[in-house]
Amino acid sequence: YERWIQSQQLRKWDLRCLKLQPLSPVPSDIEISRAQSPKAVDVLAKEIGLLTDEIEIYGQTKAKVRLSLLERLKDQPDGKYVLVAGITPTPLGEGKSTVTIGLVQALTAHLKINSFACLRQPSQGPTFGVKGGAAGGGYAQVIPMEEFNLHLTGDIHAITAANNLLAAAIDARILHENTQSDKALYNRLVPVVKGVRGFSSIQLARLRRLGINKTDPETLTEEEISRFVRLDIDPSTITWQRVVDTNDRFLRKITVGQANTEKGFVRQAQFDIAVASEIMAILALTTSLEDMKERLGKIVVANDKKGEPVTADDLGVTGALAVLMKDAIKPTLMQTLEGTPVFVHAGPFANIAHGNSSILADKIALKLVGEKGFVVTEAGFGADIGMEKFFNIKCRASGLVPSVVVLVATVRALKMHGGGPSVSAGAPLKKEYTEENLQLVADGCCNLQKQIQITQLFGVPVVVALNVFKTDTPAEVDLVCKIAKQSGAFDAVPCSHWSDGGRGAVKLAQAVEKAANQKSSFKYLYSLELPIAEKIRVIAQKVYGAKDIELSAAAQSQIDRYTRQGFGKLPICMAKTHLSLSHQPERKGVPTGFILPISDVRASIGAGFIYPLVGTCHPQTYLVCIQLLCPDDLRICIQSLKRTGPKM
Amino acid sequence: YERWIQSQQLRKWDLRCLKLQPLSPVPSDIEISRAQSPKAVDVLAKEIGLLTDEIEIYGQTKAKVRLSLLERLKDQPDGKYVLVAGITPTPLGEGKSTVTIGLVQALTAHLKINSFACLRQPSQGPTFGVKGGAAGGGYAQVIPMEEFNLHLTGDIHAITAANNLLAAAIDARILHENTQSDKALYNRLVPVVKGVRGFSSIQLARLRRLGINKTDPETLTEEEISRFVRLDIDPSTITWQRVVDTNDRFLRKITVGQANTEKGFVRQAQFDIAVASEIMAILALTTSLEDMKERLGKIVVANDKKGEPVTADDLGVTGALAVLMKDAIKPTLMQTLEGTPVFVHAGPFANIAHGNSSILADKIALKLVGEKGFVVTEAGFGADIGMEKFFNIKCRASGLVPSVVVLVATVRALKMHGGGPSVSAGAPLKKEYTEENLQLVADGCCNLQKQIQITQLFGVPVVVALNVFKTDTPAEVDLVCKIAKQSGAFDAVPCSHWSDGGRGAVKLAQAVEKAANQKSSFKYLYSLELPIAEKIRVIAQKVYGAKDIELSAAAQSQIDRYTRQGFGKLPICMAKTHLSLSHQPERKGVPTGFILPISDVRASIGAGFIYPLVGTCHPQTYLVCIQLLCPDDLRICIQSLKRTGPKM
């Protein structure tokens, strides 16, 4: 039986691919998605070697995959690991998701090579804003696109619930400590149940941290009781915010606690977008249920009045957080338009968060594709942000070694970097972008060249994928590919997956396959042993091209605090705009000579990184209201609902 | 084939029941739930006559049922419809959920009669508070209890998302109207897309409401554009609040809009508990997808500066709300400890909301059990609240006619009504409640008698279910049953389902079956044609036993407004404490001679009712923080997670 499983796994998949007959002009995303009938997800699961008891079906087209698979296939060699990153994008995005999906459609449906795409679940904020969904587009999509873009299997909702339970526990705890005696608090925390009073295991752990080695609640001294029951949180140091998965700009800054029942304990707070929660980062970086629980417990929410960190474990809510996340930890299986497998797991927002899909999805996919197969995973925004975090944070946590980087570029973005007029969502594109302009392209390739160089810092071969738009001319396309190869890319290939499906990315797939056979000499950019400020400086200089960094007094004091608290050895997750290599979104191309200002430094101890805020890239600016809410953008939903009608 | 389906449906189910071997003493709820292996939900679905394409499986033990079944079985006669209600409870609750579950276990597993329980999905607020979950208890439970109590199939999360999208749209709209010209607003709402500008269908409907009979955006006059783009919301009249499914007391009253980006448009607002959202009430009362969309569109969120209602349709978000709710509208199938079917759908909170499970779940279940079968559905809190709303609101919306009411009583609650010491969560019970005291029981039966009389107002036979605790004596039990029968109950039966499972409710099941063959002469309590104040008076006098009502100036002015706006013909959903028949929770037994104060009157136009606030029963008091958060209550989660480990 063992041998049968082994043989099962190493084989090429016998996958029934879904036929595509692309129309021209390309219909809307929702029309394309609706025109294709997905396979039942249990059929897909079987085709790729999942056992019946390893999946949990959610409706006809989604399934969660159990982590037990990692144990079953632990001796199976991993497949090749491909990262899709991009050049510095316009605000419209340059199509990393469509390249990721087009590439796996090409690999699996056209070249018959096992492959998996690992994508991030989109936030419902942007989905109902101007941006719309994130299932890819055109003939390179995950289907059904509305399932992908709406609740999916509830992971973001679970994160919201866990995040907000922790937030509520902080304020409730402060209120209780301020209004109750030690004895009353102790009776509430350690009540007599059926005549017996006992500590829970999480309380015993807290006692041990306090150096109180007792297990019988009746034997604590008054002083010990006081230390046990009082977390003594300094409200001005609370960094844990509530979250919502809606673009609700009026929650960016609020005052809470104004009801009479809260007895005047008001304070200023904010809501962040749910996907920016540290719990999302934990989900993305965790490697097992045990590890997730440990990380959740280590979340630091504030300091106490002595300046010591207060954690979720101290609040006694770790178990509750973990149980709320028990299903979210399992990646969700879906399929592309051509019937090839996709994992959707963890979330977006690579500017403030680390913005990568999950380690668990990648690991499971690497086992399922087998040694000759490919897993294509996506990093958010430009390579200077998403890819840098992928290598220095995600690969460090996973221990996985990437084989190839695919760097996505568009003629549009390159023209912008070459000095073209500004590009913004909602406004029509200027003619520079719709007519041939070789000079702008040539000038803008400096950004592509720089991002190639950044990739090479990590020792991984890079293939440039030029995502071709219908207004791009052959001369423009040729020019980009030529410059890319001159700049050190292993290869540079135009792709047309958006209009042609996987067939339009076959050349890219072949280039990636070749590059994967190159020697990769992957290395991290910095050692964790460096002091925090030094690690920030390395990223600023080597990746962004800054002359130096400048720490504000607040940033310096936070660095000192984290170092003193023992968090100095964590990797760095820069919170920087994605619209420029520098901290100034309007500086396109390759800015030089700038000093990178670090206005503040924060920490996600549970996720395991320090995050410096660069310039004015503060969470409250970036998180809650990416786009304005505009009723017109909801037309698609109405349309979508109408068609859903008969299927209810 | 048609005939085959017919014959399928009318048969007795061939259900494999799960064997129970109750232990003594009764283990914890989670231990009992974990000790039983549920059937795969697709097996259960097949056993009760669901077709494969009528279910959407969520994991091994939950499935959503498609509404298409109602069309397939439209000619099938309904089963008997049984409502479980209760006497005025103690704060601990008297076990309506366990009676509901025990009763269907008895009917189906022991008497071999097709039956279905329809329950409400619990809020995660109380689940993580002192109260704990709501899956029933002891040997009358829905399993797996943690699936029932946690995210289930995401309905409450969907409600939260829809509710908060609407809330965000209100504030964003006010901001835009305050800071932009008519023309800018028009360009944003009706943008030129690929050279063409067109109205969406929801915008065309708004134009028709405004009396502007044009379809070409280019032909509107400046004055028409201004009327079209400006909702002119009066911020002081906004009644739509944000919601969260967490007991977060610090969100009861907040100030929003304090970030610089909101340009000083701050206002005071609040978060309510998610299950109290009008969207939950809509989910519970809707009868189809079309109907739900229509109700969502009719939600009134505020008045404009002329005093006219502003709706979700005016904001243009109806389609978005409906698409967010497209899966939530389908009831979730689960099973009892004995393997009999259960629907979980819609939510709790019968004090402020109407607090009943959904019409759709009841309707589908009534078809599935067939003519001889039983559907047992539950109304929240005491019969004066939950049952009154069930009859006057829910039955009016569904057109369904109940056959029997089961009225749940406990010796504990009756002793409280007879003058026993106060009962509160967390504190140990006084000895009056653990030792025989026939006088207290006899005196307290006045409340039972009154609730029986209330039931009789509606012309439905009532069976009293005495939920027996282990400290109740035979003399106490006999006394209650005797008085109940003397007071007009069709029958009164002690039950021990908590310790014995369905076997402990067989006598109750037999009594219910007999009562269902009685003639029911069901009638509503009031005509919708009565003025609003008169309808409130009828409920106050006939149900609560008040001498009269007293309307505050605010209440009177709201009544006048709603009447003027054309909402005077809606039924009434009283927001009253559940701890007394009166508005004063400390008045037990059967209070008389009181004047019921109506402090304010609000309306849920989408759900379709007017809700008067009785005394100090204001939403902000009742909604967000039912219980204090206390880490100790999370032990069960930790324990639960530990055991979940190996199954991941």
Side-chain angles (χ1 to χ4, degrees):
Chain A
Y1 175 72
E2 281 287 330
R3 194 173 302 159
W4 173 81
I5 284 177
Q6 284 281 337
S7 66
Q8 280 287 98
Q9 291 314 317
L10 293 165
R11 82 181 199 282
K12 278 202 180 187
W13 296 334
D14 186 15
L15 203 71
R16 184 176 70 83
C17 294
L18 305 177
K19 287 274 170 294
L20 270 194
Q21 292 183 310
L23 301 176
S24 178
V26 176
S28 74
D29 291 349
I30 184 91
E31 284 167 334
I32 293 173
S33 170
R34 293 288 173 109
Q36 188 71 299
S37 292
K39 289 183 279 195
V41 71
D42 52 340
V43 171
L44 173 66
K46 204 170 179 183
E47 287 175 341
I48 60 173
L50 282 158
L51 307 182
T52 310
D53 65 355
E54 285 171 345
I55 60 168
E56 296 172 3
I57 290 173
Y58 280 62
Q60 315 292 314
T61 55
K62 298 171 289 183
K64 281 198 168 286
V65 174
R66 292 197 170 148
L67 307 187
S68 57
L69 177 138
L70 285 173
E71 180 56 28
R72 172 170 68 91
L73 296 184
K74 64 177 189 298
D75 299 325
Q76 167 90 3
D78 284 348
K80 309 281 187 184
Y81 194 28
V82 178
L83 178 76
V84 176
I87 65 167
T88 304
T90 71
L92 310 177
E94 309 316 311
K96 284 195 313 299
S97 300
T98 61
V99 169
T100 304
I101 298 162
L103 177 54
V104 294
Q105 289 180 193
L107 282 165
T108 304
H110 298 266
L111 301 182
K112 306 297 172 196
I113 297 170
N114 294 357
S115 83
F116 234 108
C118 292
L119 300 172
R120 297 164 294 162
Q121 182 188 355
S123 162
Q124 281 180 189
T127 296
F128 287 99
V130 173
K131 182 175 174 294
Y139 288 99
Q141 283 194 60
V142 181
I143 55 170
M145 77 98 105
E146 66 272 39
E147 296 301 318
F148 181 93
N149 283 319
L150 291 170
H151 311 287
L152 198 69
T153 48
D155 297 350
I156 293 178
H157 295 320
I159 288 166
T160 303
N163 184 100
N164 291 347
L165 184 68
L166 180 52
I170 296 167
D171 281 314
R173 184 63 176 248
I174 293 173
L175 179 73
H176 290 318
E177 289 191 23
N178 278 334
T179 54
Q180 292 181 40
S181 68
D182 288 355
K183 197 175 159 221
L185 288 169
Y186 197 55
N187 286 340
R188 189 184 277 268
L189 288 169
V190 196
V192 179
V193 178
K194 293 180 186 162
V196 186
R197 174 182 276 213
F199 290 120
S200 63
S201 59
I202 198 165
Q203 291 176 328
L204 288 169
R206 174 164 163 79
L207 287 168
R208 282 192 297 275
R209 282 199 299 282
L210 293 171
I212 304 170
N213 291 310
K214 297 183 176 174
T215 55
D216 178 357
E218 305 300 345
T219 61
L220 265 65
T221 66
E222 281 189 20
E223 184 266 342
E224 287 169 340
I225 287 176
S226 180
R227 282 170 57 215
F228 173 72
V229 299
R230 296 203 175 271
L231 302 183
D232 217 21
I233 292 169
D234 175 355
S236 73
T237 65
I238 297 173
T239 47
W240 194 259
Q241 304 295 350
R242 293 168 176 86
V243 300
V244 63
D245 192 29
T246 308
N247 281 354
D248 190 346
R249 52 188 296 164
F250 277 72
L251 296 179
R252 283 171 180 167
K253 195 185 272 188
I254 62 174
T255 299
V256 300
Q258 294 180 315
N260 292 336
T261 41
E262 276 58 74
K263 301 173 188 168
F265 291 107
V266 301
R267 67 181 185 90
Q268 204 157 63
Q270 70 188 44
F271 272 78
D272 293 339
I273 191 94
V275 289
S277 169
E278 180 173 348
I279 297 179
M280 176 61 93
I282 289 174
L283 179 68
L285 292 172
T286 194
T287 50
S288 70
L289 185 65
E290 279 296 292
D291 173 74
M292 180 177 73
K293 204 177 155 198
E294 199 179 312
R295 286 172 184 264
L296 290 168
K298 287 200 289 194
I299 290 171
V300 172
V301 298
N303 290 319
D304 66 17
K305 288 176 185 153
K306 289 185 196 131
E308 295 303 314
V310 177
T311 65
D313 258 351
D314 290 324
L315 284 156
V317 297
T318 311
L321 303 184
V323 82
L324 281 166
M325 293 291 293
K326 76 179 176 58
D327 294 313
I329 197 174
K330 301 169 219 166
T332 298
L333 177 68
M334 290 187 73
Q335 66 195 282
T336 66
L337 266 181
E338 299 190 45
T340 76
V342 173
F343 274 141
V344 194
H345 207 213
F349 286 71
N351 44 0
I352 175 66
H354 88 302
N356 275 277
S357 62
S358 84
I359 287 176
L360 282 168
D362 290 356
K363 284 199 161 184
I364 293 175
L366 285 164
K367 294 299 180 198
L368 285 170
V369 295
E371 197 169 6
K372 306 272 182 207
F374 284 78
V375 171
V376 184
T377 193
E378 185 193 351
F381 295 125
D384 53 312
I385 312 190
M387 184 188 73
E388 184 271 312
K389 294 174 184 178
F390 171 81
F391 285 138
N392 285 319
I393 301 175
K394 186 176 167 184
C395 289
R396 230 188 276 254
S398 70
L400 296 173
V401 175
S403 312
V404 182
V405 167
V406 173
L407 195 64
V408 178
T410 60
V411 166
R412 176 177 72 194
L414 291 171
K415 285 177 172 175
M416 176 189 73
H417 288 298
S422 81
V423 174
S424 69
L429 279 176
K430 295 271 161 42
K431 74 169 174 18
E432 285 82 350
Y433 295 103
T434 53
E435 296 173 1
E436 181 170 286
N437 191 325
L438 293 169
Q439 192 58 49
L440 282 182
V441 173
D443 290 349
C445 277
C446 59
N447 185 275
L448 174 60
Q449 187 174 31
K450 170 69 179 167
Q451 300 280 17
I452 292 171
Q453 287 162 359
I454 294 170
T455 311
Q456 290 172 329
L457 289 176
F458 296 90
V460 182
V462 51
V463 173
V464 170
L466 182 63
N467 188 16
V468 177
F469 294 178
K470 65 172 188 275
T471 50
D472 299 345
T473 69
E476 289 175 331
V477 169
D478 289 346
L479 181 61
V480 176
C481 292
K482 196 183 85 186
I483 297 177
K485 281 183 263 189
Q486 285 168 353
S487 306
F490 174 80
D491 202 349
V493 189
C495 354
S496 61
H497 46 275
W498 184 81
S499 50
D500 298 329
R503 195 166 52 76
V506 165
K507 282 191 183 140
L508 175 65
Q510 287 163 334
V512 167
E513 203 197 356
K514 250 186 234 161
N517 292 324
Q518 293 292 106
K519 197 174 158 314
S520 158
S521 47
F522 174 60
K523 56 181 178 291
Y524 305 127
L525 189 65
Y526 53 79
S527 155
L528 294 181
E529 299 299 317
L530 292 177
I532 292 174
E534 199 45 45
K535 285 183 273 201
I536 299 174
R537 184 172 288 113
V538 168
I539 296 170
Q541 292 177 333
K542 294 207 185 160
V543 178
Y544 307 157
K547 215 170 130 191
D548 202 353
I549 61 170
E550 186 174 56
L551 298 169
S552 71
Q556 186 61 60
S557 126
Q558 285 292 84
I559 289 175
D560 294 344
R561 179 196 297 275
Y562 293 134
T563 307
R564 198 178 63 241
Q565 291 178 340
F567 304 136
K569 304 276 169 75
L570 292 173
I572 305 296
C573 182
M574 302 291 276
K576 183 182 80 72
T577 178
H578 59 293
L579 296 173
S580 169
L581 282 157
S582 77
H583 57 289
Q584 293 161 305
E586 67 284 4
R587 295 189 67 179
K588 304 300 182 190
V590 182
T592 52
F594 59 94
I595 306 284
L596 196 80
I598 308 295
S599 54
D600 203 351
V601 175
R602 303 198 184 157
S604 289
I605 301 302
F609 53 69
I610 301 286
Y611 66 100
L613 305 182
V614 178
T616 54
C617 185
H618 285 224
Q620 58 268 35
T621 315
Y622 271 76
L623 300 192
V624 173
C625 190
I626 304 305
Q627 305 290 353
L628 300 169
L629 270 166
C630 170
D632 187 66
D633 303 306
L634 305 175
R635 286 182 189 181
I636 192 168
C637 307
I638 300 163
Q639 181 190 24
S640 155
L641 180 74
K642 271 192 197 146
R643 303 198 187 182
T644 315
K647 287 175 71 183
M648 301 299 290
Chain B
Y1 176 72
E2 281 289 328
R3 194 173 303 159
W4 174 82
I5 282 177
Q6 284 282 336
S7 65
Q8 281 286 96
Q9 292 312 317
L10 293 164
R11 83 183 197 281
K12 278 201 182 188
W13 296 334
D14 186 16
L15 203 71
R16 184 177 69 84
C17 295
L18 305 177
K19 287 273 170 295
L20 269 195
Q21 292 183 311
L23 301 176
S24 179
V26 175
S28 74
D29 290 349
I30 185 89
E31 284 167 334
I32 292 173
S33 170
R34 292 289 172 110
Q36 188 72 300
S37 292
K39 289 183 280 196
V41 72
D42 52 341
V43 171
L44 173 65
K46 204 170 180 183
E47 287 176 341
I48 61 174
L50 282 159
L51 307 182
T52 311
D53 65 356
E54 286 171 344
I55 59 167
E56 295 171 4
I57 290 174
Y58 281 63
Q60 315 291 314
T61 56
K62 298 171 290 184
K64 282 198 168 285
V65 174
R66 291 197 171 149
L67 307 187
S68 58
L69 177 138
L70 285 174
E71 180 55 29
R72 173 171 67 92
L73 295 183
K74 64 176 190 297
D75 299 325
Q76 166 90 0
D78 285 348
K80 309 281 187 184
Y81 195 28
V82 179
L83 178 77
V84 175
I87 64 166
T88 304
T90 70
L92 309 177
E94 308 315 311
K96 283 195 314 299
S97 300
T98 61
V99 169
T100 303
I101 299 163
L103 177 53
V104 294
Q105 289 181 192
L107 282 165
T108 304
H110 298 266
L111 302 181
K112 306 296 171 196
I113 297 171
N114 294 357
S115 81
F116 233 107
C118 291
L119 300 172
R120 296 164 295 162
Q121 182 188 355
S123 162
Q124 280 181 189
T127 296
F128 286 98
V130 173
K131 183 175 173 293
Y139 287 100
Q141 281 194 60
V142 180
I143 55 170
M145 78 98 104
E146 65 274 37
E147 296 301 318
F148 180 93
N149 283 320
L150 291 169
H151 311 287
L152 198 69
T153 49
D155 297 350
I156 293 179
H157 295 320
I159 289 166
T160 303
N163 183 100
N164 291 347
L165 184 68
L166 179 52
I170 297 167
D171 281 313
R173 184 63 176 247
I174 294 173
L175 178 73
H176 290 319
E177 289 191 22
N178 278 334
T179 54
Q180 291 182 40
S181 67
D182 288 354
K183 195 174 161 225
L185 288 169
Y186 198 56
N187 287 339
R188 190 184 278 269
L189 287 169
V190 196
V192 179
V193 178
K194 293 181 187 163
V196 185
R197 174 183 277 217
F199 290 120
S200 63
S201 57
I202 199 165
Q203 291 176 328
L204 289 169
R206 175 165 162 77
L207 287 169
R208 283 192 296 275
R209 281 198 301 281
L210 294 172
I212 303 170
N213 292 311
K214 297 183 176 174
T215 54
D216 178 356
E218 303 300 344
T219 61
L220 265 65
T221 66
E222 279 189 20
E223 184 267 339
E224 287 170 339
I225 287 176
S226 180
R227 283 169 58 214
F228 174 73
V229 299
R230 295 201 177 273
L231 302 182
D232 216 22
I233 292 169
D234 176 355
S236 73
T237 65
I238 297 172
T239 48
W240 194 259
Q241 305 295 351
R242 293 167 176 88
V243 300
V244 63
D245 193 30
T246 307
N247 282 354
D248 189 345
R249 53 189 295 165
F250 276 71
L251 295 179
R252 283 170 180 168
K253 196 184 271 187
I254 62 174
T255 298
V256 301
Q258 295 180 314
N260 293 337
T261 42
E262 276 58 74
K263 303 174 187 169
F265 291 106
V266 301
R267 67 181 186 90
Q268 204 157 61
Q270 70 188 43
F271 271 79
D272 294 339
I273 191 95
V275 290
S277 169
E278 179 173 347
I279 297 178
M280 176 61 93
I282 289 174
L283 178 67
L285 292 172
T286 195
T287 51
S288 70
L289 185 66
E290 278 298 290
D291 173 75
M292 180 176 74
K293 202 178 156 198
E294 199 179 311
R295 286 171 185 265
L296 290 168
K298 287 200 289 195
I299 291 171
V300 172
V301 298
N303 291 318
D304 66 18
K305 287 176 185 154
K306 289 186 195 131
E308 295 302 314
V310 177
T311 65
D313 259 350
D314 290 324
L315 284 157
V317 298
T318 310
L321 303 185
V323 81
L324 281 166
M325 292 292 293
K326 78 178 175 58
D327 294 314
I329 198 173
K330 301 168 219 166
T332 298
L333 177 67
M334 292 187 73
Q335 66 195 282
T336 66
L337 266 181
E338 300 189 45
T340 76
V342 174
F343 274 141
V344 194
H345 206 212
F349 286 70
N351 43 1
I352 175 68
H354 88 303
N356 274 278
S357 62
S358 83
I359 286 176
L360 282 168
D362 289 356
K363 284 200 161 185
I364 295 175
L366 285 164
K367 294 298 179 200
L368 286 170
V369 297
E371 196 168 7
K372 307 272 182 206
F374 284 77
V375 171
V376 184
T377 191
E378 184 194 352
F381 295 125
D384 53 312
I385 312 190
M387 183 188 74
E388 183 271 312
K389 293 174 184 178
F390 172 80
F391 286 137
N392 285 319
I393 301 175
K394 186 177 168 184
C395 288
R396 230 187 277 252
S398 70
L400 296 173
V401 175
S403 311
V404 182
V405 168
V406 172
L407 195 64
V408 178
T410 60
V411 166
R412 176 177 72 193
L414 292 171
K415 284 176 171 176
M416 176 189 73
H417 289 298
S422 82
V423 175
S424 69
L429 279 175
K430 297 272 159 43
K431 73 170 175 18
E432 284 82 350
Y433 295 103
T434 53
E435 296 173 2
E436 181 170 287
N437 190 325
L438 294 170
Q439 191 58 50
L440 282 181
V441 172
D443 291 348
C445 276
C446 59
N447 186 275
L448 174 61
Q449 188 174 29
K450 169 70 178 166
Q451 300 280 17
I452 292 171
Q453 287 163 0
I454 294 171
T455 311
Q456 290 173 330
L457 290 176
F458 296 90
V460 182
V462 51
V463 173
V464 171
L466 182 64
N467 188 16
V468 178
F469 294 179
K470 66 171 189 276
T471 50
D472 299 344
T473 68
E476 288 174 332
V477 169
D478 289 348
L479 181 61
V480 176
C481 292
K482 197 182 83 186
I483 296 177
K485 281 183 264 189
Q486 285 168 353
S487 306
F490 174 82
D491 202 350
V493 189
C495 355
S496 61
H497 47 273
W498 184 79
S499 50
D500 299 329
R503 194 167 52 77
V506 165
K507 282 191 183 142
L508 174 65
Q510 287 162 335
V512 167
E513 203 198 356
K514 249 187 235 162
N517 292 324
Q518 293 292 106
K519 195 173 160 307
S520 156
S521 47
F522 173 61
K523 55 181 178 293
Y524 305 126
L525 188 65
Y526 54 79
S527 154
L528 293 181
E529 299 300 316
L530 291 178
I532 292 174
E534 200 45 45
K535 286 184 273 202
I536 299 174
R537 185 171 289 113
V538 169
I539 296 171
Q541 293 178 334
K542 294 208 185 159
V543 178
Y544 306 159
K547 215 170 129 192
D548 202 353
I549 61 171
E550 186 174 55
L551 299 170
S552 72
Q556 186 61 59
S557 124
Q558 285 292 85
I559 288 175
D560 295 344
R561 180 197 296 276
Y562 292 135
T563 307
R564 198 178 62 240
Q565 291 178 342
F567 304 137
K569 303 275 169 75
L570 292 173
I572 305 295
C573 182
M574 302 291 277
K576 183 183 80 74
T577 177
H578 59 293
L579 296 172
S580 169
L581 281 157
S582 78
H583 56 289
Q584 292 161 305
E586 65 284 3
R587 294 189 69 179
K588 304 301 181 188
V590 182
T592 52
F594 59 95
I595 305 284
L596 196 79
I598 308 297
S599 54
D600 204 351
V601 175
R602 303 200 184 157
S604 290
I605 301 302
F609 53 69
I610 301 286
Y611 66 101
L613 305 183
V614 178
T616 53
C617 184
H618 284 227
Q620 58 269 37
T621 317
Y622 270 76
L623 300 192
V624 172
C625 191
I626 304 304
Q627 305 290 352
L628 301 170
L629 270 166
C630 170
D632 187 63
D633 303 307
L634 305 175
R635 286 182 189 181
I636 193 166
C637 308
I638 300 162
Q639 181 191 22
S640 155
L641 180 75
K642 270 193 197 145
R643 302 197 188 183
T644 315
K647 287 173 71 183
M648 300 300 291

